[in-house]
Structures are given as C-alpha cells and as structure tokens.
Amino acid sequence: MKTIKLETLMHVYEGREELPHDLFELLIEAEKAALKAYSPYSHFQVGAAILLNNGKIVTGSNQENAVYPCGLCAERTAAFAASSAYPEVPFSKIAVTAINPTEKLKEPVSPCGSCRQVLFEYEQKFCQPLEVILAGQEGSIYHFQSVAHLLPYTFHAGFLPK
Ligand code: THU
C-alpha cells in the first residue's frame, strides 16, 4: 500500500486592483453577467465569462426553474453557449463571480462539481489549459492555471468503452 498526496496550485490576488489587466477585464464581464441571473428561488446571482482563443468573450448566468434540478449554473450556461457558438475554438480563461444580496461575499465563489467536470472536458477537448479566475464581491481572488487543479482524479472519456 502507498499513499499519494495530491496537490493543488493556485495564485491568490489580494484584490481586484492586483489583477493583470486581461483578468480584470474578464472579471468585469462576469460581474455584468451575474446581474442577468434568473434566480428567483435562491436569489444568488452568479456570472461567468469565458475568453476564447479568437478573442471573443461569451458570458452566462445561473438560470433557475420551479423544478429546481432543471436550473443550470452560470459556468455551464457560459460553457455550453461558447461551445455552441464556436465549437472549434478553445477556451482560454473563465472568470466566475457571484452576488449574495443578503451578505456580501467575502471569499471567491466555488464552482460545483458538475461545472468543474464540464469545464474539464472542454480543457481536454482542446488540449489547452483553461485558466480559472474565482472572485467574491470583495476580498481575495483565486487564479488556477488549469481546471485540472480544481478537479483532480477526474472521470474522463478514456474510461468509456471504445
Ligand atoms: N450556482 C452557480 O451558478 N454557480 C456556482 O458556482 C455555484 C452555484 C448557482 C446555482 C443556483 O442557481 C444558485 O447558484 C444557488 O446554488
């Protein structure tokens, strides 16, 4: 028996003013997208902005439904929109942020497992790391160089029958 330690690498920026210009701009787009959330049930507004290799930015927000599981997170809304509009263009970066209307988010929003899985697949598809920028409404901002750092030991298409 042996024990393996998995490590995650992330950069932490102390605030928005520390961000490189391109990441700051992408985060602004994610913030604007959050304002377009349809979240009458949770009242939690999430926005995601994906920068593609062709320079286009595609955004998404969480979309809820009275049948709760029918709703979709901002990250997947953005990823599916980007892949539908530009199926052959790799994703370069994704910024995600959220608005909690009752209490300001002081730490970065954390994507759910399903969103991590979906983003990982696009990263694999294009054989290009997808950088992830996570922010709250104030405080630190996390920057991951790859979705793989957010989802180690991932299920992938290689497990499926040939
Ligand atoms: N949500 C997202 O859109 N992204 C996340 O990273 C976390 C959660 C949404 C789903 C639901 O509409 C609301 O936030 C509360 O869970």
Side-chain angles (χ1 to χ4, degrees), residues 41 63-72:
Y41 305 104
Q63 301 294 314
E64 298 184 350
N65 191 282
V67 180
Y68 292 0
C70 294
L72 198 63

Side-chain angles (χ1 to χ4, degrees), residues 14-148:
E14 290 307 323
R16 281 161 171 69
E17 60 290 342
E18 260 195 24
L19 282 177
H21 186 67
D22 60 334
L23 301 187
F24 179 79
E25 292 288 307
L26 197 61
L27 181 54
I28 298 285
E29 293 306 315
E31 282 174 348
K32 286 196 255 177
L35 297 171
K36 297 178 184 164
Y38 175 63
S39 53
Y41 305 104
S42 72
H43 304 288
F44 190 61
Q45 297 172 290
V46 188
I50 297 175
L51 174 67
L52 301 170
N53 273 17
N54 64 5
K56 304 267 187 216
I57 291 176
V58 178
T59 62
S61 56
N62 53 327
Q63 301 294 314
E64 298 184 350
N65 191 282
V67 180
Y68 292 0
C70 294
L72 198 63
C73 294
E75 297 90 323
R76 274 176 288 162
T77 305
F80 294 152
S83 182
S84 302
Y86 305 100
E88 298 312 324
V89 184
F91 298 3
S92 166
K93 299 175 174 57
I94 180 169
V96 186
T97 191
I99 302 164
N100 177 343
T102 58
E103 195 183 346
K104 260 195 177 178
L105 277 177
K106 293 185 180 65
E107 63 179 310
V109 65
S110 192
C112 77
S114 297
C115 288
R116 293 176 198 215
Q117 181 70 37
V118 164
L119 295 174
F120 179 80
E121 175 116 359
Y122 290 115
E123 184 170 87
Q124 294 289 299
K125 176 186 174 192
F126 296 118
C127 299
Q128 177 183 302
L130 169 57
E131 293 178 42
V132 182
I133 297 99
L134 305 176
Q137 288 167 270
E138 55 186 46
S140 307
I141 294 156
Y142 298 161
H143 181 195
F144 298 83
Q145 293 297 333
S146 161
V147 180

